[in-house]
Amino acid sequence: MITCKDVSDSASDYLDSPTTFLQRLGLRFHLVMCVHCRRYVRQLSLTSRVAKQLYPVDEPTDEEIERLVEKLKSS
């Protein structure tokens, strides 16, 4: 059984990256029973969505990466 500490330690991973079926099942089972962790995961999810909207990450294009690699090689 997952504890509240386990939820607080892994909630970010649960929201941001793929997890195994058993991890998702254990977390969801805990969230059904624990109002505090449910609230924590909901607030963490909201914070993450707002931060992504306010500060979007611009990934470099392949050409920009190649240019940087060549620049580093020539240095």
Side-chain angles (χ1 to χ4, degrees):
M1 173 109 167
I2 292 179
T3 64
C4 294
K5 180 169 178 9
D6 296 332
V7 171
S8 68
D9 290 343
S10 64
S12 182
D13 294 335
Y14 170 75
L15 293 172
D16 293 336
S17 61
T19 55
T20 67
F21 174 74
L22 289 177
Q23 289 171 326
R24 286 191 312 270
L25 184 64
L27 182 70
R28 287 180 187 225
F29 184 71
H30 181 86
L31 293 178
V32 165
M33 297 185 311
C34 182
V35 67
H36 303 292
C37 288
R38 220 176 18 248
R39 187 176 298 136
Y40 173 73
V41 169
R42 192 178 317 124
Q43 289 174 349
L44 186 62
S45 175
L46 176 63
T47 302
S48 177
R49 287 193 318 261
V50 168
K52 286 177 184 175
Q53 287 179 357
L54 290 176
Y55 304 104
V57 177
D58 293 330
E59 295 186 22
T61 63
D62 290 339
E63 293 82 24
E64 291 172 328
I65 292 173
E66 286 296 323
R67 236 181 293 128
L68 289 172
V69 168
E70 290 302 320
K71 188 175 182 179
L72 289 172
K73 283 181 181 178
S74 65
S75 298

